[in-house]
Amino acid sequence: MTPDLFEFEERQRCRKWREELCPGAVVLHGFAAQDDTAIFAALHGVTGEAAFRHMITPGGFRMSVALTNCGAYGWVSDRTGYRYDATDPESGKPWPRMPGVFLKLAQKAAASAGFEDFEPDACLVNRYEPGARLSLHQDKNERDFGAPIVSVSLGLPAIFLWGGLRREDRPVRIPLMHGDVMVWGGPSRLCYHGVLALKEGNHPLMGGYRINLTFRKAT
DNA sequence: AAGTCGCC
DNA sequence: ATGG
């Protein structure tokens, strides 16, 4: 198959995905770029209180992505399962409070995508190093799927995988760069998604990492 | 179960 | 290298 034909078919698939599989998902290119130094400073505050760690999946595997949380609730995984917890299992203390710059950014992005009054109570902070990946999954540990998901990309670029509502739906590849924000909710709230293994690189602000902030209403 | 592997 |  020629590259042109491949690109044409990929475009067709993207259109089908937008219109049929995941309506309501939005990519806001560069939306967070202007705030990146403030976000970076706030991030240091959060990770100083609750360090990145590699959680264990119920299957007993170590996740390649390191994560921590801020906000009233944090997403945790161990051999017993996935859940939201108000305390950090590493320290027994509450998660760091959600920085104002995080909350405002999430609310502004949600509103831009048509979701007014987004009140996230959980912010997952994912750190990808080269080789780290996230296989296809749904965000479904939240109590109420009425609220959207807001996902902020910082640092090294990554290829995001956007699937449909069924695991068998072949994902579309979406390149995400520093400052890009994705919002999905409504009919696309439970779409499968993942991230391909991160490539090596250097970013002026984030160095050799990709940081992803994911805002959710957990309760 | 948000993982990894071997095989094709 | 990629994907089932």
Side-chain angles (χ1 to χ4, degrees):
Chain A
M1 184 186 296
T2 67
D4 280 356
L5 183 54
F6 176 79
E7 274 193 31
F8 173 77
E9 294 199 343
E10 194 63 15
R11 251 190 283 277
Q12 295 292 103
R13 290 188 52 237
C14 287
R15 182 175 304 124
K16 183 185 166 93
W17 165 74
R18 278 197 301 270
E19 292 173 358
E20 297 172 21
L21 294 179
C22 282
V26 175
V27 185
L28 305 166
H29 292 286
F31 193 87
Q34 291 83 355
D35 300 325
D36 64 356
T37 54
I39 293 168
F40 184 74
L43 189 61
H44 261 269
V46 168
T47 58
E49 265 189 80
F52 286 113
R53 78 292 304 266
H54 293 270
M55 292 194 179
I56 303 298
T57 65
F61 294 99
R62 173 186 182 274
M63 293 177 69
S64 59
V65 175
L67 64 102
T68 185
N69 295 279
C70 61
Y73 294 91
W75 184 88
V76 295
S77 175
D78 59 25
R79 280 183 175 74
T80 71
Y82 308 141
R83 64 189 175 277
Y84 283 95
D85 205 316
T87 61
D88 176 352
E90 297 272 308
S91 67
K93 296 190 300 184
W95 296 102
R97 65 173 289 110
M98 194 182 297
V101 63
F102 282 20
L103 179 61
K104 281 181 191 154
L105 173 66
Q107 291 181 323
K108 205 170 59 166
S112 297
F115 297 95
E116 306 292 337
D117 306 316
F118 180 45
E119 291 288 347
D121 57 5
C123 173
L124 282 70
V125 184
N126 295 127
R127 187 186 66 189
Y128 294 74
E129 57 182 40
R133 58 190 291 278
L134 205 53
S135 58
L136 223 52
H137 68 280
Q138 293 172 298
D139 294 352
K140 57 178 184 184
N141 293 103
E142 299 74 28
R143 188 187 299 275
D144 168 12
F145 300 135
I149 303 287
V150 175
S151 172
V152 178
S153 294
L154 299 163
L156 294 180
I159 303 294
F160 211 90
L161 300 173
W162 269 105
L165 294 173
R166 300 170 306 170
R167 193 181 283 279
E168 317 84 73
D169 295 329
R170 181 148 71 104
V172 165
R173 293 175 177 212
I174 312 274
L176 291 180
M177 317 283 287
H178 180 260
D180 290 349
V181 179
M182 296 199 57
V183 181
W184 67 95
S188 66
R189 174 62 180 74
L190 288 172
C191 278
Y192 279 87
H193 55 282
V195 181
L196 288 185
L198 195 77
K199 288 189 179 168
E200 297 253 9
N202 184 63
H203 185 271
L205 191 59
M206 299 292 173
Y209 295 102
R210 171 176 188 258
I211 300 289
N212 173 251
L213 309 176
T214 306
F215 296 90
R216 300 143 179 218
K217 182 160 172 44
T219 62

